[in-house]
Amino acid sequence: MTDTKKEQERGELHRAIWAIAEKLRGTVDGWDFKNYVLGTMFYRYLSENLMNYINQRETDGENADFSYAEMSDEDALKLRKDLIEEKGFFILPGELFCNVAQRAAGNEHLDETLETVFRHIEESAKGSGAEGSFAGLFDDYDVNSNKLGATVAKRNEKLVKLLNGVAEMNLGKVKDHQIDAFGDAYEYLMTMYASNAGKSGGEFFTPADVSELLTRLGTVGKTKINKVYDPACGSGSLLLQAAKVLGLDGVGKGFYGQEINVTTYNLCRINMFLHDVGFDRFHISCEDTLMHPQYWDEEPFELIVSNPPYSIKWAGNENSQLLGDPRFAPAGVLAPKSKADLAFVMHCLSCLADHGTAAIVCFPGILYRGGAEKKIRQYLIENNFIDCVIQLPSNLFFGTSIATCIMVLKKNKQDHKTLFIDASKEYVRVTNNNHLTAENIGRIVDTYAERREHTHFSRLATHEEIAQREYNLSVSSYVEGENAREKINIAELNAEIAKLVAREQILRDEIVRMIAQMEDGSEKIL
């Protein structure tokens, strides 16, 4: 498929999503509406994924006229056990998206129908290896919410519009499914509402350009990794970038993430499915990463990418057990209670494989603040863990204009230097936000990979120099900014001044002469 064709299909898909938003405008708040659209799309995806699988199997068996959607529920139940083992879930033909959507307009109990279907899908996975991946996935799809309407009839009216709108989306034919269409629709919705949802939206959605930069920094020189991990995974956009950069097969043992917000946790799991990541290949947990890490016994991660929340509160030294936690104890001090940023950094370091890389978006204050944070920076530098610090442009993220930075960690560096890159000017302005172009990303990644110094852009600093600067890691302390002031030619300036002085003397002489003439004329008159 040509790039032009892809862009045409993508534009058509985006217009279809916007059309649904227009139909429900004024009734469902944008950020809540997103959950309903994504839930409906996920329902369609699961239905078509299962239908495609069964129909293909029958077609390969020379049963060309077979259609699972037309099969009776009674006959389909005979396939249930095998399908759950193979796919991880089961849907009756009568509960498939296409059949429910077709009958939706005349179904006075549509709300109850959908509630039953979603419960059946989740229950079908119980007892199987997919149970954890499906449990509670439709919790945020509340068919009885007043956000859809004040009465059952009004709520059903909105549900019909949702089903019809998603049914009309061009997501590919059953036999020729373009799963990227589902993934692209997901990302468009996230961008569409994160941009005007402030912190509530942007806090768990990292823009695609920043996600790509982090992943490419973490995979320099590699075509395959064991696993990718994000300790604050949000909706999973960073985890999925590893699949985009390396391919699904390039992430050998799967995708791991932890998220404290249950709604976002559900979004992340849905996102995995919509991007064709099998239930046995992703492991997402809903827990507080700093207090209850879920993958302590796992093999260390070769790639860690994360955009943890900025300067949030945590237990810190109020919890005596944290002082002996093997993640934080090596630094000899805990991150401040009011600023957990470096606690996330230390957590990532503890999970990192000896030959791995962690790329973490950080709040800029952690680079220069004193106290406990300075001691943690000192520990990281003296043990040669900080490979690179990159200053990003401002206004890259939804809901904040802060100019963040990236800290890149490694455990087995080849030198005892830290690379500093000033990428604050590497962006283009698009509507209300700045964006990193392919050229911007390429320049940053190439400079990092080569570990080269470029005037006004990058510099390698020894650990001795960093120590002399009191372990201040601000990029501006090491990379000299380009002087934007106009260069002055001193010789030309002196010549111009001489001309002005000579001219001034001529004017003075002329004034003296005029005054003398006036005085002489006055004497004659007298």
Side-chain angles (χ1 to χ4, degrees):
M1 185 183 293
T2 65
D3 289 340
T4 302
K5 180 67 173 175
K6 284 183 178 180
E7 287 304 317
Q8 288 175 346
E9 291 191 357
R10 184 172 289 115
E12 179 183 344
L13 179 64
H14 293 177
R15 285 190 292 274
I17 293 173
W18 188 257
I20 301 175
E22 286 291 298
K23 290 177 182 177
L24 274 70
R25 185 176 296 280
T27 57
V28 182
D29 177 70
W31 200 242
D32 294 313
F33 163 74
K34 166 192 56 61
N35 291 333
Y36 285 107
V37 175
L38 287 174
T40 307
M41 288 181 62
F42 181 52
Y43 172 34
R44 176 179 166 179
Y45 163 73
L46 289 177
S47 297
E48 295 186 5
N49 182 277
L50 186 67
M51 279 195 305
N52 188 26
Y53 179 79
I54 300 171
N55 291 346
Q56 187 64 52
R57 187 173 64 180
E58 293 296 322
T59 300
D60 292 342
E62 300 183 355
N63 188 1
D65 295 330
F66 179 84
S67 171
Y68 182 68
E70 298 174 4
M71 194 175 188
S72 70
D73 287 354
E74 291 74 19
D75 290 338
L77 282 172
K78 300 173 184 177
L79 307 174
R80 189 179 191 275
K81 183 178 179 181
D82 290 339
L83 286 173
I84 291 175
E85 289 182 359
E86 297 163 12
K87 298 294 292 181
F89 68 99
F90 176 76
I91 304 176
L92 288 167
E95 296 183 346
L96 291 169
F97 174 85
C98 59
N99 289 331
V100 172
Q102 187 177 23
R103 300 188 296 262
N107 185 354
E108 295 180 358
H109 305 288
L110 180 59
D111 55 336
E112 296 177 7
T113 298
L114 288 175
E115 195 171 39
T116 300
V117 170
F118 296 157
R119 185 178 71 253
H120 285 172
I121 293 174
E122 291 182 9
E123 288 177 349
S124 72
K126 286 185 176 179
S128 74
E131 181 175 352
S133 299
F134 280 87
L137 267 181
F138 291 98
D139 283 355
D140 292 306
Y141 199 116
D142 186 1
V143 296
N144 299 309
S145 172
N146 286 333
K147 295 175 181 178
L148 286 173
T151 65
V152 171
K154 288 185 180 296
R155 289 195 286 272
N156 283 340
E157 181 183 338
K158 298 299 184 297
L159 290 171
V160 169
K161 291 180 178 179
L162 270 169
L163 291 169
N164 289 341
V166 171
E168 292 168 3
M169 288 182 183
N170 182 17
L171 300 176
K173 297 180 180 179
V174 171
K175 292 184 179 180
D176 185 28
H177 217 319
Q178 296 296 319
I179 187 61
D180 283 347
F182 280 104
D184 185 79
Y186 172 89
E187 291 180 6
Y188 175 69
L189 270 164
M190 293 298 292
T191 305
M192 177 178 168
Y193 287 113
S195 60
N196 57 30
K199 186 178 180 182
S200 64
E203 67 182 357
F204 53 81
F205 181 70
T206 304
D209 49 355
V210 180
S211 298
E212 180 182 351
L213 174 59
L214 289 171
T215 304
R216 289 185 58 187
L217 288 168
T219 55
V220 166
K222 296 182 179 180
T223 57
K224 191 169 185 177
I225 57 171
N226 69 340
K227 300 177 295 187
V228 58
Y229 172 58
D230 184 349
C233 63
S235 57
S237 57
L238 276 170
L239 291 173
L240 289 165
Q241 271 295 332
K244 287 188 177 181
V245 172
L246 300 174
L248 275 173
D249 293 336
V251 185
K253 297 182 180 179
F255 305 78
Y256 290 74
Q258 195 163 337
E259 172 56 41
I260 194 170
N261 181 290
V262 65
T263 297
T264 318
Y265 158 70
N266 288 334
L267 280 176
C268 183
R269 291 186 295 159
I270 288 175
N271 202 8
M272 292 291 148
F273 280 113
L274 293 183
H275 282 82
D276 209 24
V277 180
F279 70 87
D280 56 341
R281 299 208 62 215
F282 69 83
H283 311 270
I284 311 298
S285 299
C286 186
E287 259 295 1
D288 183 330
T289 296
L290 298 180
M291 302 306 297
H292 304 288
Q294 296 298 294
Y295 305 112
W296 193 250
D297 298 326
E298 285 285 339
E299 172 189 350
F301 301 97
E302 195 171 348
L303 173 63
I304 298 176
V305 284
S306 191
N307 178 19
Y310 307 144
S311 300
I312 62 168
K313 295 179 180 179
W314 76 307
N317 56 20
E318 283 187 353
N319 187 325
S320 58
Q321 293 181 345
L322 290 175
L323 293 170
D325 191 306
R327 296 173 295 167
F328 313 121
V333 66
L334 295 171
K337 291 184 296 182
S338 60
K339 303 175 182 67
D341 307 72
L342 283 173
F344 279 102
V345 171
M346 291 295 293
H347 170 83
C348 288
L349 181 64
S350 70
C351 301
L352 186 63
D354 288 342
H355 56 291
T357 304
I360 309 162
V361 177
C362 299
F363 185 79
I366 71 166
L367 300 179
Y368 56 80
R369 289 190 297 234
E373 290 180 306
K374 176 187 173 183
K375 292 180 180 178
I376 295 174
R377 292 197 304 272
Q378 180 176 350
Y379 163 78
L380 293 171
I381 289 296
E382 289 182 347
N383 287 274
N384 203 26
F385 291 136
I386 301 182
D387 194 36
C388 182
V389 179
I390 302 168
Q391 178 61 58
L392 293 175
S394 61
N395 208 30
L396 284 179
F397 295 86
F398 300 118
T400 179
S401 60
I402 296 172
T404 56
C405 59
I406 294 175
M407 184 179 291
V408 183
L409 305 177
K410 279 182 176 292
K411 285 188 173 178
N412 287 314
K413 291 173 56 183
Q414 299 302 309
D415 60 24
H416 284 73
K417 296 181 179 180
T418 296
L419 179 67
F420 293 87
I421 298 176
D422 183 1
S424 58
K425 302 295 189 295
E426 294 292 315
Y427 69 89
V428 294
R429 183 76 172 175
V430 180
T431 60
N432 295 325
N433 283 84
N434 294 330
H435 291 269
L436 302 173
T437 65
E439 290 75 19
N440 297 145
I441 294 172
R443 186 184 183 199
I444 297 169
V445 173
D446 289 345
T447 301
Y448 169 71
E450 297 167 359
R451 292 186 74 73
R452 284 190 177 183
E453 294 189 336
H454 298 279
T455 305
H456 306 307
F457 186 70
S458 61
R459 183 163 176 270
L460 278 167
T462 64
H463 292 173
E464 291 75 18
E465 180 183 353
I466 295 174
Q468 290 172 2
R469 295 180 183 270
E470 298 292 321
Y471 298 97
N472 184 331
L473 300 181
S474 298
V475 174
S476 59
S477 297
Y478 301 91
V479 181
E480 182 182 357
E482 187 171 3
N483 192 340
R485 291 178 296 179
E486 182 181 356
K487 293 182 179 179
I488 299 173
N489 187 312
I490 299 300
E492 291 181 359
L493 179 61
N494 286 336
E496 187 66 26
I497 292 174
K499 290 180 181 178
L500 291 173
V501 171
R503 177 61 178 165
E504 182 182 11
Q505 188 58 49
I506 292 172
L507 291 173
R508 286 179 181 276
D509 293 343
E510 184 66 20
I511 292 171
V512 170
R513 185 185 64 79
M514 292 173 64
I515 292 174
Q517 288 181 345
M518 292 172 63
E519 290 176 344
D520 184 54
S522 298
E523 290 177 358
K524 289 180 179 181
I525 293 172
L526 290 172

